[in-house]
Amino acid sequence: MKIMVDELYEIYKDKGITKIVGIESRGFIMAAALAVKLGCGVVLARKPGKLPYTTIKESFSKEYGVDTIEMHVDSINENDVVLIHDDLLATGGTAKAAYKLVQHFHPKKTYINFIIEITDEGLHGRDEFDGIELTTLLTI
């Protein structure tokens, strides 16, 4: 974990990140660890009904239906520079929903990061984020 946090820190240390959005639930771990090192806040993107305050939500299609994620309505503002983080990029549906949620707040800039990107035939998750700076630590 230390190696991953150190690698992510090197990528984002000069980007002015003020909030890291961790996507339910494995994304919470690295988002929190990296936020400590960067000295920024953490925002949780969670399944419906899990957050204790008023939320906004975004639904997205999955292979077998529709899912939804939520964030607190006051979690990001227009002065924030946001890093969206999750563990795995495959189809990109969950992260795209998180990106749409973040854009409701009109932050200064948004970056996206994954630990692993799967590039098998039929998985084109990166294509969902054309024009957005997206990094991964490992591509398989």
Side-chain angles (χ1 to χ4, degrees):
M1 185 164 171
K2 180 182 180 335
I3 292 168
M4 289 187 294
V5 170
D6 288 347
E7 289 292 321
L8 291 172
Y9 177 78
E10 288 302 315
I11 294 169
Y12 293 105
K13 67 182 179 185
D14 298 322
K15 305 279 188 185
I17 305 295
T18 59
K19 304 272 176 67
I20 301 176
V21 174
I23 299 176
E24 174 119 6
S25 66
R26 292 181 302 255
F28 298 167
I29 298 164
M30 196 59 64
L34 182 58
V36 168
K37 191 154 185 164
L38 288 173
C40 65
V42 175
V43 175
L44 304 180
R46 299 214 60 189
K47 293 179 181 176
K50 302 283 186 173
L51 294 170
Y53 185 61
T54 307
T55 62
I56 61 170
K57 62 183 165 185
E58 186 72 37
S59 295
F60 59 99
S61 297
K62 296 174 70 170
E63 294 92 344
Y64 304 105
V66 176
D67 209 347
T68 302
I69 58 171
E70 298 180 334
M71 289 173 41
H72 284 142
V73 296
D74 62 351
S75 56
I76 297 171
N77 66 56
E78 65 279 350
N79 295 315
D80 283 319
V81 176
V82 177
L83 171 60
I84 298 170
H85 172 78
D86 205 0
D87 65 325
L88 182 69
L89 173 59
T91 63
T94 307
K96 185 68 170 196
Y99 177 78
K100 287 179 180 178
L101 280 175
V102 167
Q103 295 315 297
H104 284 282
F105 300 103
H106 307 287
K108 285 183 188 177
K109 179 85 173 164
T110 305
Y111 300 94
I112 301 175
N113 171 263
F114 301 91
I115 300 300
I116 300 169
E117 178 180 4
I118 300 174
T119 59
D120 286 348
E121 181 96 15
L123 298 177
H124 304 284
R126 185 174 284 269
D127 296 346
E128 294 291 322
F129 305 101
D130 191 39
I132 304 162
E133 187 175 319
L134 183 149
T135 61
T136 60
L137 294 182
L138 177 65
T139 302
I140 56 173

